[in-house]
Amino acid sequence: MCVDVLEHVGYLTKVLAEMARVLKPGGLFLFDTINRNLLSCFATITIAEDTLRLLPKGTHDPTLFVRPAELRAGLEKASLVSGPMTGLEPLGLNRNGDFTLGPLPIRTVIYTGVALKPGNH
């Protein structure tokens, strides 16, 4: 599982290859990441980091954000079978003041998905 990780790595293909290496045949790779576009940069950096200060300034480098097509290509290169990907949106806050997320039909800002390592369980 890679949550809040893929958008911080400089060598996505190496990370995906390592995920594939450590997964057992039939294993699932679960992930979420941030799409690379103007809206995701605005939402993540301008709003979350600069305005609301939910994250320390400089947490994200938008050049490391990952477009869904790039992630699918990287998964394929790592011999993982990409499954469905869906967007995520904030639904509200929990008792601790943290955002809760839910599915969104578009993958414009944050998206999540699954990939399978082929083989028997």
Side-chain angles (χ1 to χ4, degrees), residues 6 11 13 15-16 23 35 38 41 45 51 61 63 66 68 70-71 74 77 90 103 105 109-110 112 115 117-118:
L6 298 176
Y11 299 100
T13 55
V15 171
L16 296 175
L23 273 175
N35 199 342
L38 289 175
C41 289
I45 296 170
T51 305
D61 176 352
T63 64
V66 184
E70 295 167 342
L71 187 49
K77 185 174 181 181
V109 179
I110 301 171
T112 187
K117 181 171 182 173

Side-chain angles (χ1 to χ4, degrees), residues 41-119:
C41 289
F42 177 75
T44 305
I45 296 170
T46 304
I47 300 298
E49 289 186 20
D50 298 342
T51 305
L52 298 177
R53 298 185 179 159
L54 297 172
L55 303 164
K57 190 169 180 60
T59 297
H60 292 98
D61 176 352
T63 64
L64 298 177
F65 293 175
V66 184
R67 291 185 176 123
E70 295 167 342
L71 187 49
R72 283 192 195 279
L75 292 167
E76 184 178 310
K77 185 174 181 181
S79 298
L80 297 172
V81 178
S82 182
M85 294 182 191
T86 188
L88 292 175
E89 69 174 332
L91 296 177
L93 300 173
N94 65 18
R95 292 180 188 172
N96 296 326
D98 297 322
F99 279 106
T100 58
L101 299 173
L104 183 68
I106 58 172
R107 299 170 295 186
T108 307
V109 179
I110 301 171
Y111 64 99
T112 187
V114 61
L116 171 72
K117 181 171 182 173

Side-chain angles (χ1 to χ4, degrees), residues 4-27:
D4 299 332
V5 172
L6 298 176
E7 66 272 15
H8 298 283
V9 299
Y11 299 100
L12 180 65
T13 55
K14 288 182 180 181
V15 171
L16 296 175
E18 183 63 9
M19 290 297 130
R21 186 189 71 78
V22 300
L23 273 175
K24 292 180 181 180

